Amino acid sequence: MVGRRHSHFFFSLLSLPSHRITIPLYYRLLLLLCFPLALALVPPVPPSNYGGGGDGGASVLSLPRNKSLRFSAGAGAAFKIAIFADLHYGENAWTDWGPQQDANSDRVLSAVLDKENPDFVIYLGDVVTANNLPIPNASLYWDRAISATRSRGIPWATVFGNHDDAAFEWPSDWFSSSGIPEVRCPTANISSTEQCSFRGTPRIDLMNTEINNNRLSYSATGPKELWPSVSNYVLQILSSKEMDPVALLYFLDSGGGSYPEVISNAQAKWFQAQSQIINPNGKVPEIIFWHIPSIAFSKVAPKPNSEIDKPCVGSINLESVAPQDAEWGIMDILAKRPSVKAIFSGHNHGLDWCCPYQKLWLCFARHTGYGGYGDWPRGARIIEITEQPFSLKSWIRMENGTEHSDLILSS
């Protein structure tokens, strides 16, 4: 913008007829030669503020306005998000059991969406079980997972889990006594031209297919310098009245599948840089989403198979936390930012609690899909954000319509 404005001035000056300007021709030629250097020295315009009046408010994101979420108008309006974790579509796709679990998961998604009518949906990883999908395009199953949300006109975002681009794992019972595998390709949702490939579908392919085919998708492939960690991006929820952000939603790829289960130091530095630019004074609340819990979840976890006592809140505590492989600084950064209110993870199907960690909350979602291990009742974690005054609440909505584990995470 600065370059175009100054360019217009200089070239207008140079093109004026001699009777309209008193600058000699040789000075005009000198201006033309020196213009590139002069333009390079012009300082860039700093990003504008969301109604901050230059007081260090949150800077405008480099994100299209049509990709910004927004509160509905009206007194007491709230912004509601449904979190669907560990759907595991495509599990045992070559059997009768697998497709039936996908149908059961369809039922859960529809039940929760119809009961809660959320403004936004987050798919919190393990959308598909790629290690059970021999076809070359797992996006066919991914598309089925998001179809219930899309058909209702609800926008959504996705983050990767450890199963989404995992390599195909050959079942031992496919091998006959002679050692020759009996190849069994799934047939549901696959065109006649599809063939088995046993190679899996890379994260980039899954995300690009989702984004390119769905106008309601708010997902992103993230900065290329962080690849193969893909789902690293930030969304803003804007006020119903102004262009001010009410909350910032950060999504981080916690690895697994095609590479180790970690949030790298590079991702931690990316978050730190983004948050300092977007929200330098920490005035806007920040909420974090990733699939595999960090090691900090293990530190605050109730003893497995014990009652969930306050200050933790939840209904199932039937296994140990299975955390990321290593901790590379992200938790230190998050814990030092008072603006970070909560972190939401999936991965552990037998946990649905929230526990405080320093000044923020660590929360598990509820196992939503019928794929994956465990036979616990299915449901989804719901979070609700109110604008004036700001508050962050959460509860779990079950497939059968019941609600439990109500909790105020910030007020």
Side-chain angles (χ1 to χ4, degrees):
M1 190 68 179
V2 174
R4 288 196 296 270
R5 184 166 64 246
H6 284 75
S7 174
H8 176 76
F9 168 76
F10 275 108
F11 283 108
S12 298
L13 182 65
L14 293 171
S15 61
L16 283 174
S18 59
H19 71 275
R20 296 276 304 278
I21 189 167
T22 59
I23 299 178
L25 178 62
Y26 60 87
Y27 280 133
R28 292 161 66 183
L29 293 175
L30 183 62
L31 279 171
L32 178 62
L33 293 174
C34 294
F35 168 69
L37 177 60
L39 183 60
L41 295 175
V42 175
V45 172
S48 57
N49 294 321
Y50 286 116
D55 62 352
S59 302
V60 175
L61 286 170
S62 58
L63 188 72
R65 282 296 174 197
N66 63 356
K67 287 299 184 182
S68 296
L69 303 167
R70 196 177 189 110
F71 273 76
S72 299
F79 192 91
K80 187 187 294 184
I81 301 172
I83 302 176
F84 295 146
D86 299 282
L87 294 171
H88 288 280
Y89 274 87
E91 191 152 311
N92 288 14
W94 56 88
T95 69
D96 293 335
W97 179 90
Q100 182 58 54
Q101 306 319 301
D102 291 348
N104 293 341
S105 296
D106 291 343
R107 186 180 68 243
V108 180
L109 299 182
S110 294
V112 172
L113 291 171
D114 291 343
K115 186 70 175 182
E116 292 288 354
N117 190 27
D119 300 285
F120 193 61
V121 168
I122 293 173
Y123 289 86
L124 199 60
D126 283 2
V127 178
V128 298
T129 302
N131 45 293
N132 277 188
L133 292 175
I135 63 171
N137 189 4
S139 296
L140 295 169
Y141 287 90
W142 190 282
D143 186 71
R144 179 172 179 176
I146 62 180
S147 62
T149 301
R150 179 179 57 215
S151 66
R152 288 164 173 79
I154 303 170
W156 73 87
T158 55
V159 65
F160 284 112
N162 53 301
H163 283 278
D164 290 312
D165 74 341
F168 182 76
E169 296 177 7
W170 290 82
S172 59
D173 61 358
W174 280 24
F175 291 83
S176 66
S177 58
S178 62
I180 299 174
E182 178 186 353
V183 177
R184 308 175 191 177
C185 288
T187 56
N189 300 316
I190 300 176
S191 68
S192 59
T193 59
E194 291 282 357
Q195 301 294 325
C196 287
S197 72
F198 311 106
R199 68 173 179 83
T201 306
R203 275 169 156 79
I204 292 295
D205 291 356
L206 286 168
M207 192 65 90
N208 279 336
T209 300
E210 178 199 321
I211 295 168
N212 294 335
N213 295 343
N214 296 283
R215 64 179 180 82
L216 290 172
S217 171
Y218 279 59
S219 302
T221 54
K224 289 187 177 181
E225 59 267 25
L226 298 180
W227 291 3
S229 171
V230 171
S231 52
N232 303 287
Y233 56 100
V234 56
L235 299 175
Q236 56 194 346
I237 306 177
L238 300 178
S239 167
S240 60
K241 299 178 181 179
E242 306 292 341
M243 297 305 290
D244 298 332
V246 177
L248 297 168
L249 311 180
Y250 277 90
F251 301 84
L252 291 169
D253 190 334
S254 55
S258 59
Y259 70 101
E261 298 180 354
V262 296
I263 293 177
S264 68
N265 180 258
Q267 288 170 278
K269 289 182 177 179
W270 173 82
F271 169 83
Q272 192 169 39
Q274 288 293 304
S275 60
Q276 287 299 319
I277 294 171
I278 297 167
N279 193 19
N281 289 347
K283 292 184 177 181
V284 182
E286 297 163 327
I287 308 170
I288 316 298
F289 302 90
W290 62 56
H291 178 72
I292 305 174
S294 64
I295 294 173
F297 279 70
S298 301
K299 297 177 180 178
V300 300
K303 184 178 179 181
N305 297 301
S306 67
E307 293 292 325
I308 301 174
D309 297 322
K310 290 185 177 181
C312 298
V313 175
S315 70
I316 57 172
N317 178 38
L318 299 175
E319 60 178 328
S320 299
V321 174
Q324 299 164 27
D325 293 340
E327 170 61 60
W328 293 105
I330 186 64
M331 286 306 305
D332 289 339
I333 294 171
L334 296 178
K336 291 177 181 177
R337 283 186 66 81
S339 50
V340 176
K341 304 303 180 184
I343 302 170
F344 295 92
S345 293
H347 193 57
N348 277 99
H349 300 180
L351 304 175
D352 74 351
W353 45 257
C354 288
C355 288
Y357 175 78
Q358 299 188 33
K359 295 181 180 180
L360 55 89
W361 285 85
L362 306 181
C363 293
F364 279 101
R366 181 78 183 207
H367 183 197
T368 306
Y370 270 78
Y373 70 92
D375 57 0
W376 304 289
R378 269 52 172 187
R381 180 169 290 281
I382 310 296
I383 59 178
E384 184 180 77
I385 304 167
T386 55
E387 181 178 359
Q388 293 180 343
F390 174 84
S391 70
L392 176 62
K393 302 177 183 178
S394 182
W395 61 89
I396 292 174
R397 177 68 63 184
M398 301 302 293
E399 177 186 1
N400 64 6
T402 59
E403 175 188 327
H404 62 80
S405 302
D406 293 55
L407 176 64
I408 298 176
L409 299 168
S410 180
S411 60

